[in-house]
Amino acid sequence: MDVAKQPYAVKWLILGALIGLAAGTSALTFYLMLRLTTYVFLNLLVGYEQPEPVGLGGSLMYVHALRGLG
C-alpha cells in the first residue's frame, strides 16, 4: 500500500491515526514514569506516604508521620 498514491482524505486519516497513537503512547509513558519516580523518591527514599483523596478511599483523619521517626 503506497500512501503517496492514496486520496487526500485517506492520507490524513492514516497520518492522524499515527500521530494520535504516538501522542497517546507518549502521554501514557509520561504518566507511568511520573508515578514511578514519585514512588521511588517519596516512598522508598524518604519514607513519606502521600494521603489518598477521600473519593479514592482516603481519610480526613490522616496524620503525617515519617516511618521510623514517629
Side-chain angles (χ1 to χ4, degrees):
M1 179 168 118
D2 190 15
V3 177
K5 293 181 181 179
Q6 296 296 322
Y8 181 79
V10 175
K11 286 183 203 177
W12 279 105
L13 184 65
I14 293 171
L15 184 61
L18 291 176
I19 290 173
L21 185 64
T25 304
S26 299
L28 182 61
T29 302
F30 177 74
Y31 173 73
L32 292 175
M33 293 304 294
L34 189 62
R35 295 278 310 247
L36 176 68
T37 54
T38 299
Y39 174 75
V40 168
F41 288 113
L42 286 180
N43 289 26
L44 296 182
L45 294 178
V46 178
Y48 174 73
E49 295 205 20
Q50 296 176 344
E52 292 289 327
V54 176
L56 294 178
S59 172
L60 293 175
M61 301 302 293
Y62 182 79
V63 177
H64 172 71
L66 291 175
R67 280 184 274 149
L69 295 178

